[in-house]
Amino acid sequence: MNVAIYCGSQTGKKPVYIEKAKELGEALAKSKIGIVYGGSNVGLMGTVADATLSHNGRVIGIMPEHLQKREIAHLHLTEIHFVESMHVRKKKMVDLSDAFIALPGGCGTLDEYFEVFTWAQIGLHHNPVILYNIDGFYDALIQHFEKMIEEGFIREEQRTILKVAATAEEILTIVSNHQDVLLKKGS
Ligand code: AMP
């Protein structure tokens, strides 16, 4: 079981983002769930990777060659793949993952989150897409989802795709329920 982690290439201003990112990395490692992420050692991306590795977890990085200088590849991952473009990175992260988690981040994080969200909407995958709403960071986005549903731009039955967790424990519950479903299906 692997989960994709999407998060900021910066750490944000509040220490709670780092604290909660570390907590998630540790919880995933202890649950023997591997992470797939962008492969860099900067920002919250580096924080989650380090926390997972320091608890003997498995971390796979997918780094586009042209970003190597800007994001600085993490040199101590379980595996790192260098790929030719952002598109290949995003596709490979999806292919290797059984669930997707967005932590606080900027436009890159939102781009990745919305891509896997929309792919779930049109049935391209059936894996959970989770917003890790650390310290209410995504409250405004969640409100906007409500508006999109209310105004008829997201169908009511697609509401279930929006999964929000406030703690690492809630994330693990969603991921392990999904793991049970995959095991029952034999995939
Ligand atoms: P950010 O949330 O903007 O700090 O970016 C987080 C991650 O998203 C980093 O790994 C970036 O390389 C990646 N990213 C940034 N811009 C884009 C983009 N236009 N498309 C896809 N990923 C991006």
Side-chain angles (χ1 to χ4, degrees), residues 4-178:
I5 300 285
Y6 302 127
C7 61
S9 53
Q10 302 186 62
T11 53
K13 289 188 177 171
K14 292 193 217 151
V16 69
Y17 300 131
I18 294 182
E19 270 163 42
K20 296 288 172 187
K22 281 186 181 167
E23 219 173 275
L24 179 64
E26 178 178 346
L28 291 169
K30 287 183 174 165
S31 304
K32 308 274 177 243
I33 296 168
I35 72 167
V36 177
Y37 86 117
S40 82
N41 72 359
V42 298
L44 286 188
M45 300 171 74
T47 306
V48 181
D50 285 338
T52 307
L53 289 168
S54 68
H55 291 86
N56 301 315
R58 200 172 61 247
V59 183
I60 302 173
I62 317 287
M63 164 77 63
E65 280 147 11
H66 78 279
L67 260 194
Q68 255 188 87
K69 276 199 198 109
R70 237 175 95 182
E71 292 197 350
I72 312 167
H74 195 303
L75 298 176
H76 304 288
L77 303 179
T78 319
E79 279 175 40
I80 186 152
H81 302 261
F82 291 99
V83 295
E84 67 266 28
S85 68
M86 295 299 255
H87 285 105
V88 176
R89 172 204 250 181
K90 292 201 287 183
K91 173 78 168 56
K92 199 166 175 67
M93 286 179 70
V94 170
D95 290 345
L96 292 176
S97 305
D98 308 291
F100 309 98
I101 306 167
L103 278 70
C107 293
T109 303
L110 286 180
D111 171 81
E112 293 165 319
Y113 170 75
F114 280 117
E115 184 168 85
V116 285
F117 191 101
T118 54
W119 286 12
Q121 278 186 309
I122 56 175
L124 290 179
H125 71 79
H126 300 283
N127 293 323
V129 181
I130 306 164
L131 264 185
Y132 189 6
N133 189 22
I134 298 175
D135 201 35
F137 179 78
Y138 282 121
D139 284 354
L141 180 62
I142 295 161
Q143 256 179 31
H144 192 67
F145 266 108
E146 286 305 324
K147 190 171 178 71
M148 289 191 284
I149 295 167
E150 250 170 52
E151 298 290 327
F153 290 104
I154 294 180
R155 289 201 301 276
E156 184 62 45
E157 65 268 24
Q158 293 182 324
R159 179 188 284 281
T160 52
I161 301 171
L162 176 63
K163 297 196 181 344
V164 180
T167 61
E169 211 181 318
E170 286 174 25
I171 290 176
L172 283 184
T173 304
I174 299 170
V175 171
S176 58
N177 287 343
H178 184 60

